[in-house]
Amino acid sequence: MDHSLAARLLKGVRAATLSGQQPQILPRPVIGESWSRMLRIGVDPDRDVRSGLLSMEDVEERRQSSGLLEVLPVLREALVTVADAAQHIMVVSDAQGRVLWREGSAAVLHKADRLGFELGADWAEETVGTNGVGTPLVTRRPVQVFSAEHFVGSLHTWTCTGAPITDPRDGQVIGVVDVSGPLETMHPATLSLVGTVAQLAEARLRERHAAALDRLRAVAAPVLARIGGRAAAVDVQGWTAAVTGMQPVDRIALPKSLSAFSELSDGRAWVPTLGMCAVAPLPGGWLLRPDGPDGAAEPLGGTRVVLDVSRPRRWSVTVTDGTRSWTHELSPRHAELLYLLALHRPGGLSASGLAEDMFGDPTRTVTVRAEMSRVRRYLGSLLGHRPYRFHEEAELEVVFPQSPADLLPHSVAPGVLRSRSAPPR
C-alpha cells in the first residue's frame, strides 16, 4: 500500500467535504458519518488539540474507578510488545475519551506528545474530531482512522485503530483500547487485532463477574435458608446469585441506586418486575424480599414511560407510576428495539416485522424473541406481545437528539437508518 498516495487522496476528499462540495471519492461510511457529526456540532478542523489535560491525581482517580484495571493485564500482554515492534503505542481511554494509559515505542510516545495524545488528554469525538478513541465510543464498534480521515488537520500524520470495551454486566462501554502510530506504519490487520483483544478483555470481565456471583451466592445461601416466602440475592447490577420461593431469572432490573432505599427506616423500594420489596445490603449485592404474590402485575393506568435516545452513548428508559420512579440504562440493542416499538405505536410490530426493521431479515425472529424476553424482564406488562408493542394504557414520550442524524449513531438497523432522515416528533 502506498501510504503517501492514500494520504493525499484522503486530503482531497476531506477538503471537498469540508467546503461543501461532492468529493470524487466518497469517504468510508463510518468516517463520512463522523465528519457529518463534527460539522453539525462545530468542531474546528484546524484546532490545536493540546489543551485541557487532567492532572496526574485526576488520572489516577479515573484509573481506579474506570473498571479498566481488571483488564489492563490482558491488554498489555496482547498489544504492548506488538505495538512496540511495529513502531506503535497502545493507548487506553475511559468511557469519556480521557487517556489513562500509554505504553509502547518511546520514539512514538514523543511524537504522540507533540500531537496532544498525552496522559489525561480528552480524545472524545466532540473535542478532537474523528479519531480512533472518540469515534469507537460513539459507533460502539472497532474503527481505524488513517491520516486525513482524522477531522482535525494536525492529526494527518497519524493513524489510529481503536475498539470499545463493554462491561458485560450492564452493557455499558467502559473505555477504548487503541493502537496508534505514524501513518507510514499502518497495517490493515491492526483493526482485526485490536477488535479481538477488546473481546478478550470483555471475556476477562465475564470471568470476574462469574466469580463475584459465586462469592455472593456463598454469602447469601445461609441467609436465604432462614427466610420464609420469596427472596432473591442479586449483585449491584441486578444479576441473580440465588433465589428462594420464586422463579429464578438471570437478572432483575433495579432502581438506579438502592442505597437510599436501604437506609430508610422501612428499607423498601419499588422494583418494577417484583413490586414493593424490602431491601437489605449483602457483601457485593442486595437481598430483595418482595411483598406481593409471585407474578403480581405492574400498575398501568397513570404510568408514564420516557424513552431517552437523545445522547450518543447513553440511552435510558424511565418508568413513573404516581410518586414512584425508576430508570434503567439501555444496551445498544435494547435502545434500538424500544425505539422501533415507539415508532410503530400503537399498533406495534410482529416478530418478523421487528426482525425486518432490526436486521433487514424477517426470518431472524428467534433473535428478536430472545431480546424481547430480556426487555420484558424490566418493563414487564408495559410491553405487550403478538404483536410486540407498548401498552396502550401507558403514556409514552420519546426524547430525541437535537439533530435527526444523531439518532442512535451506533445503529445500522434499517428502521433506525430510515428514521434518521425524518424521525417522528
Side-chain angles (χ1 to χ4, degrees), residues 219-234 242-246 278-282 286-291:
V219 170
V223 177
L224 294 178
R226 296 192 298 268
I227 289 176
R230 296 192 299 149
V234 300
V243 301
T244 184
M246 57 190 290
V279 179
L282 291 171
W286 301 98
L287 177 67
L288 305 177
R289 301 181 65 183
D291 290 351

Short mmCIF file of all heavy atoms in Angstrom, two decimals, residues 219-234 242-246 278-282 286-291:
data_model
loop_
_atom_site.label_atom_id
_atom_site.label_comp_id
_atom_site.label_asym_id
_atom_site.label_seq_id
_atom_site.Cartn_x
_atom_site.Cartn_y
_atom_site.Cartn_z
N VAL A 219 -22.35 -16.31 50.30
CA VAL A 219 -22.79 -15.48 51.43
C VAL A 219 -24.30 -15.56 51.61
O VAL A 219 -24.82 -15.61 52.74
CB VAL A 219 -22.35 -14.02 51.21
CG1 VAL A 219 -22.99 -13.10 52.25
CG2 VAL A 219 -20.83 -13.90 51.27
N ALA A 220 -25.03 -15.56 50.49
CA ALA A 220 -26.49 -15.48 50.54
C ALA A 220 -27.16 -16.79 50.92
O ALA A 220 -28.27 -16.79 51.47
CB ALA A 220 -27.03 -15.01 49.18
N ALA A 221 -26.51 -17.92 50.65
CA ALA A 221 -27.16 -19.22 50.84
C ALA A 221 -27.69 -19.41 52.27
O ALA A 221 -28.87 -19.77 52.45
CB ALA A 221 -26.20 -20.35 50.47
N PRO A 222 -26.91 -19.18 53.31
CA PRO A 222 -27.46 -19.37 54.67
C PRO A 222 -28.53 -18.34 55.01
O PRO A 222 -29.44 -18.64 55.81
CB PRO A 222 -26.24 -19.21 55.57
CG PRO A 222 -25.23 -18.47 54.75
CD PRO A 222 -25.46 -18.88 53.34
N VAL A 223 -28.46 -17.15 54.44
CA VAL A 223 -29.48 -16.13 54.70
C VAL A 223 -30.81 -16.58 54.10
O VAL A 223 -31.86 -16.54 54.75
CB VAL A 223 -29.06 -14.77 54.12
CG1 VAL A 223 -30.15 -13.73 54.32
CG2 VAL A 223 -27.75 -14.30 54.76
N LEU A 224 -30.77 -17.02 52.83
CA LEU A 224 -31.99 -17.44 52.15
C LEU A 224 -32.59 -18.69 52.82
O LEU A 224 -33.81 -18.87 52.81
CB LEU A 224 -31.71 -17.72 50.68
CG LEU A 224 -31.32 -16.51 49.82
CD1 LEU A 224 -31.02 -16.94 48.39
CD2 LEU A 224 -32.41 -15.45 49.83
N ALA A 225 -31.74 -19.53 53.38
CA ALA A 225 -32.24 -20.76 54.01
C ALA A 225 -33.11 -20.45 55.23
O ALA A 225 -33.97 -21.26 55.61
CB ALA A 225 -31.06 -21.64 54.42
N ARG A 226 -32.90 -19.29 55.84
CA ARG A 226 -33.67 -18.93 57.04
C ARG A 226 -34.92 -18.12 56.71
O ARG A 226 -35.70 -17.80 57.61
CB ARG A 226 -32.79 -18.10 57.99
CG ARG A 226 -31.59 -18.85 58.53
CD ARG A 226 -30.95 -18.08 59.67
NE ARG A 226 -30.45 -16.78 59.24
CZ ARG A 226 -29.20 -16.56 58.82
NH1 ARG A 226 -28.34 -17.57 58.76
NH2 ARG A 226 -28.82 -15.34 58.48
N ILE A 227 -35.11 -17.76 55.44
CA ILE A 227 -36.20 -16.86 55.06
C ILE A 227 -37.42 -17.66 54.62
O ILE A 227 -37.30 -18.59 53.82
CB ILE A 227 -35.75 -15.91 53.94
CG1 ILE A 227 -34.75 -14.89 54.50
CG2 ILE A 227 -36.94 -15.18 53.31
CD1 ILE A 227 -34.18 -13.96 53.45
N GLY A 228 -38.57 -17.27 55.10
CA GLY A 228 -39.81 -17.83 54.58
C GLY A 228 -40.36 -16.91 53.50
O GLY A 228 -40.23 -15.69 53.58
N GLY A 229 -40.98 -17.47 52.49
CA GLY A 229 -41.51 -16.65 51.41
C GLY A 229 -40.48 -16.43 50.31
O GLY A 229 -39.49 -17.16 50.20
N ARG A 230 -40.76 -15.40 49.52
CA ARG A 230 -39.91 -15.15 48.35
C ARG A 230 -38.75 -14.23 48.70
O ARG A 230 -38.90 -13.28 49.45
CB ARG A 230 -40.72 -14.51 47.22
CG ARG A 230 -41.83 -15.42 46.67
CD ARG A 230 -42.39 -14.85 45.39
NE ARG A 230 -42.97 -13.52 45.59
CZ ARG A 230 -43.00 -12.57 44.66
NH1 ARG A 230 -42.44 -12.79 43.49
NH2 ARG A 230 -43.57 -11.40 44.91
N ALA A 231 -37.58 -14.49 48.09
CA ALA A 231 -36.42 -13.64 48.28
C ALA A 231 -35.41 -13.92 47.17
O ALA A 231 -35.38 -15.02 46.59
CB ALA A 231 -35.78 -13.85 49.65
N ALA A 232 -34.59 -12.90 46.87
CA ALA A 232 -33.54 -13.05 45.86
C ALA A 232 -32.31 -12.31 46.31
O ALA A 232 -32.39 -11.22 46.89
CB ALA A 232 -34.01 -12.51 44.51
N ALA A 233 -31.15 -12.90 46.06
CA ALA A 233 -29.86 -12.23 46.27
C ALA A 233 -29.31 -11.85 44.91
O ALA A 233 -29.14 -12.71 44.03
CB ALA A 233 -28.89 -13.16 46.99
N VAL A 234 -29.08 -10.56 44.72
CA VAL A 234 -28.61 -10.05 43.43
C VAL A 234 -27.37 -9.19 43.64
O VAL A 234 -27.17 -8.63 44.74
CB VAL A 234 -29.69 -9.22 42.71
CG1 VAL A 234 -30.93 -10.07 42.44
CG2 VAL A 234 -30.06 -7.98 43.51
N ALA A 242 -28.83 -16.05 43.77
CA ALA A 242 -29.62 -17.13 44.36
C ALA A 242 -31.03 -16.62 44.63
O ALA A 242 -31.24 -15.42 44.84
CB ALA A 242 -28.97 -17.61 45.66
N VAL A 243 -32.01 -17.54 44.62
CA VAL A 243 -33.40 -17.18 44.93
C VAL A 243 -34.01 -18.27 45.80
O VAL A 243 -33.52 -19.40 45.84
CB VAL A 243 -34.26 -17.02 43.65
CG1 VAL A 243 -33.70 -15.94 42.75
CG2 VAL A 243 -34.41 -18.34 42.91
N THR A 244 -35.07 -17.90 46.47
CA THR A 244 -35.88 -18.90 47.19
C THR A 244 -37.34 -18.51 47.06
O THR A 244 -37.69 -17.33 47.09
CB THR A 244 -35.48 -18.98 48.67
OG1 THR A 244 -36.22 -20.03 49.30
CG2 THR A 244 -35.75 -17.69 49.41
N GLY A 245 -38.20 -19.51 46.84
CA GLY A 245 -39.63 -19.28 46.78
C GLY A 245 -40.11 -18.55 45.55
O GLY A 245 -41.25 -18.08 45.50
N MET A 246 -39.29 -18.44 44.50
CA MET A 246 -39.68 -17.72 43.29
C MET A 246 -38.93 -18.28 42.09
O MET A 246 -37.92 -18.97 42.24
CB MET A 246 -39.43 -16.21 43.43
CG MET A 246 -37.99 -15.85 43.76
SD MET A 246 -37.76 -14.11 44.21
CE MET A 246 -38.02 -13.31 42.64
N ALA A 278 -38.69 -5.32 50.38
CA ALA A 278 -37.78 -4.99 51.46
C ALA A 278 -36.35 -5.18 50.93
O ALA A 278 -36.06 -6.17 50.27
CB ALA A 278 -38.03 -5.89 52.66
N VAL A 279 -35.50 -4.20 51.22
CA VAL A 279 -34.15 -4.20 50.66
C VAL A 279 -33.13 -4.21 51.79
O VAL A 279 -33.23 -3.41 52.72
CB VAL A 279 -33.92 -2.95 49.77
CG1 VAL A 279 -32.51 -2.95 49.20
CG2 VAL A 279 -34.95 -2.90 48.65
N ALA A 280 -32.15 -5.10 51.70
CA ALA A 280 -31.08 -5.15 52.70
C ALA A 280 -29.76 -5.41 51.97
O ALA A 280 -29.71 -6.18 51.00
CB ALA A 280 -31.33 -6.24 53.73
N PRO A 281 -28.67 -4.75 52.42
CA PRO A 281 -27.38 -4.95 51.74
C PRO A 281 -26.76 -6.31 52.07
O PRO A 281 -26.92 -6.84 53.17
CB PRO A 281 -26.52 -3.82 52.29
CG PRO A 281 -27.12 -3.50 53.63
CD PRO A 281 -28.59 -3.75 53.51
N LEU A 282 -26.08 -6.86 51.08
CA LEU A 282 -25.24 -8.04 51.24
C LEU A 282 -23.85 -7.68 50.72
O LEU A 282 -23.71 -6.74 49.92
CB LEU A 282 -25.78 -9.22 50.43
CG LEU A 282 -27.09 -9.85 50.87
CD1 LEU A 282 -27.57 -10.85 49.82
CD2 LEU A 282 -26.92 -10.54 52.22
N TRP A 286 -27.38 -7.22 47.02
CA TRP A 286 -28.59 -6.87 47.77
C TRP A 286 -29.46 -8.10 48.00
O TRP A 286 -29.48 -9.01 47.18
CB TRP A 286 -29.43 -5.84 47.00
CG TRP A 286 -28.70 -4.57 46.72
CD1 TRP A 286 -28.06 -4.23 45.55
CD2 TRP A 286 -28.51 -3.48 47.62
NE1 TRP A 286 -27.49 -3.00 45.67
CE2 TRP A 286 -27.76 -2.50 46.93
CE3 TRP A 286 -28.91 -3.23 48.92
CZ2 TRP A 286 -27.39 -1.30 47.50
CZ3 TRP A 286 -28.56 -2.03 49.51
CH2 TRP A 286 -27.80 -1.08 48.81
N LEU A 287 -30.18 -8.05 49.10
CA LEU A 287 -31.22 -9.03 49.38
C LEU A 287 -32.56 -8.36 49.13
O LEU A 287 -32.86 -7.31 49.73
CB LEU A 287 -31.14 -9.51 50.83
CG LEU A 287 -32.24 -10.49 51.27
CD1 LEU A 287 -32.11 -11.81 50.53
CD2 LEU A 287 -32.19 -10.69 52.78
N LEU A 288 -33.37 -8.93 48.24
CA LEU A 288 -34.69 -8.40 47.91
C LEU A 288 -35.76 -9.36 48.41
O LEU A 288 -35.70 -10.57 48.13
CB LEU A 288 -34.84 -8.24 46.39
CG LEU A 288 -33.78 -7.41 45.66
CD1 LEU A 288 -34.06 -7.42 44.15
CD2 LEU A 288 -33.73 -5.99 46.19
N ARG A 289 -36.76 -8.81 49.13
CA ARG A 289 -37.88 -9.63 49.62
C ARG A 289 -39.18 -8.99 49.17
O ARG A 289 -39.66 -8.02 49.77
CB ARG A 289 -37.82 -9.74 51.14
CG ARG A 289 -36.52 -10.37 51.66
CD ARG A 289 -36.50 -10.47 53.17
NE ARG A 289 -37.54 -11.39 53.64
CZ ARG A 289 -37.78 -11.63 54.92
NH1 ARG A 289 -37.06 -11.01 55.87
NH2 ARG A 289 -38.73 -12.47 55.29
N PRO A 290 -39.78 -9.49 48.08
CA PRO A 290 -41.00 -8.89 47.54
C PRO A 290 -42.17 -9.03 48.52
O PRO A 290 -42.31 -10.02 49.22
CB PRO A 290 -41.25 -9.69 46.26
CG PRO A 290 -39.95 -10.35 45.94
CD PRO A 290 -39.29 -10.60 47.24
N ASP A 291 -43.03 -7.99 48.50
CA ASP A 291 -44.22 -8.00 49.37
C ASP A 291 -45.33 -8.88 48.81
O ASP A 291 -45.95 -9.64 49.52
CB ASP A 291 -44.78 -6.58 49.53
CG ASP A 291 -43.85 -5.71 50.35
OD1 ASP A 291 -42.88 -6.24 50.92
OD2 ASP A 291 -44.10 -4.49 50.39
#
